[in-house]
Amino acid sequence: MHHGRKQVQACLRFGRALIANRAVRVAVLVIAVTVSVWNFERIPHAAILPAIIGLLPFAIGKYVLCPLRWHAVSTSGRSRRWHLRTYAESEILGLISPGHAGADLWRIHRLEGVGVRRAPAVAEVALDRFVGAVGLVVAVVVCGVALPPVVIAVALGIAAVALVAAIVVSRRRPGLTRRWPLPSPKVFALGIVLSIGYQASILGLLIGALQAVGDSVSPFQLIAVFGASQIAGILPGVHGASPREGALVAGLASIGVPWSAAFGAVALTALLYWVPALLLGGGSHFLRWRGRSREPATA
């Protein structure tokens, strides 16, 4: 147990040092631009207007609703603006790291930079992840009328496992709940609502991507496919080539979308993720690099 804890701490130290390196952050931006250009050349006959229309709600969901969820469960005392900026910065690192791990490391690094100790910082980010996962499961179950029974069973199973794990931890390690205060039911419910809103914004982006490649499907069928792919997204993977993207392509093809259009829509969706990430997160990284984005540490 002690040896495993040391390994986790060593990994956190290495990840923190890596993302705090300015050269690494500049390299991330270069890689992001390269990937965007490379993907754009491989999306045939994509209309720009439907893609932009679909991108707008996604940008609000990803860069407003998600940071507000984090701010709601946070005990760091930082402002909404700080959470909005830090979340945007983390997304670029998350998009090029397996399982979006780089985003979590950056958020932990920034929390430590304003005076939050490492253990509470890790717990806070993990709690935000957990609330997001619960929101995903709730969103899938809400759309259960259009989902296959096996997908509903998987979603309910994930929720049950999370609930049992929380009960076991609270009973066997009561000190953890005192050290890392859990959110109130009102805050937890708010986090779930914000997570559902974010999932809806991704659906809007997918609809825009399908329209951009010249195809469309029934909204109810699309909800079913989208819910199943989001469940597959729980498995780790690299952005643009994760189990979620694979499940989404297969699901679109299963409801009558041609394979070329399915691949094109999913590839376009993965590409559009980079646009607000580069504009918002990249811009914030640039301002930080230029020394124009500073905030005092928490006392």
Side-chain angles (χ1 to χ4, degrees), residues 63-82:
Y63 293 95
V64 177
L65 299 186
C66 288
L68 289 181
R69 182 191 67 206
W70 178 27
H71 177 265
V73 303
S74 176
T75 58
S76 65
R78 309 310 296 178
S79 65
R80 290 185 179 87
R81 181 180 178 183
W82 184 89

Side-chain angles (χ1 to χ4, degrees), residues 51-67 84 87-88 91 197-198 200-202 204-205 272-273 275-277 279-280:
I52 292 177
I53 294 174
L55 181 61
L56 292 177
F58 168 76
I60 295 173
K62 187 66 172 177
Y63 293 95
V64 177
L65 299 186
C66 288
L84 289 167
Y87 195 94
E91 276 305 297
Y198 167 58
S201 73
I202 303 178
L205 177 62
L272 291 174
Y273 271 67
V275 177
L279 292 176
L280 301 176

Side-chain angles (χ1 to χ4, degrees), residues 131 142 169 184 220 289:
V131 174
V142 166
V169 169
S184 65
F220 293 101
W289 175 56

Side-chain angles (χ1 to χ4, degrees), residues 232-252:
I234 294 174
L235 300 175
V238 178
H239 175 71
S242 68
R244 188 182 74 87
E245 276 85 12
L248 191 53
V249 170
L252 290 174

Side-chain angles (χ1 to χ4, degrees), residues 76-202:
S76 65
R78 309 310 296 178
S79 65
R80 290 185 179 87
R81 181 180 178 183
W82 184 89
H83 284 85
L84 289 167
R85 184 171 62 248
T86 300
Y87 195 94
E89 293 169 354
S90 72
E91 276 305 297
I92 292 183
L93 295 164
L95 287 175
I96 68 166
S97 58
H100 225 67
D104 294 339
L105 288 173
W106 179 255
R107 289 198 283 167
I108 293 169
H109 164 68
R110 293 287 290 119
L111 285 170
E112 290 184 279
V114 295
V116 181
R117 301 186 66 178
R118 178 166 300 172
V122 173
E124 179 175 311
V125 174
L127 177 62
D128 178 59
R129 277 270 200 167
F130 173 74
V131 174
V134 173
L136 166 61
V137 173
V138 172
V140 171
V141 173
V142 166
C143 300
V145 293
L147 290 174
V150 64
V151 176
I152 302 175
V154 170
L156 293 176
I158 292 172
V161 169
L163 178 61
V164 170
I167 294 174
V168 170
V169 169
S170 64
R171 289 184 177 179
R172 295 192 175 184
R173 296 290 182 89
L176 290 179
T177 57
R178 290 193 297 268
R179 188 176 181 184
W180 302 323
L182 295 176
S184 65
K186 181 178 179 181
V187 170
F188 191 76
L190 174 62
I192 292 177
V193 170
L194 292 172
S195 297
I196 294 174
Y198 167 58
Q199 298 300 326
S201 73
I202 303 178

Side-chain angles (χ1 to χ4, degrees), residues 274-289:
W274 289 105
V275 177
L278 289 172
L279 292 176
L280 301 176
S284 185
H285 274 291
F286 178 75
L287 292 177
R288 188 176 303 283
W289 175 56

Side-chain angles (χ1 to χ4, degrees), residues 198-215:
Y198 167 58
Q199 298 300 326
S201 73
I202 303 178
L203 185 60
L205 177 62
L206 179 59
I207 292 174
L210 281 170
Q211 294 287 339
V213 297
D215 212 310

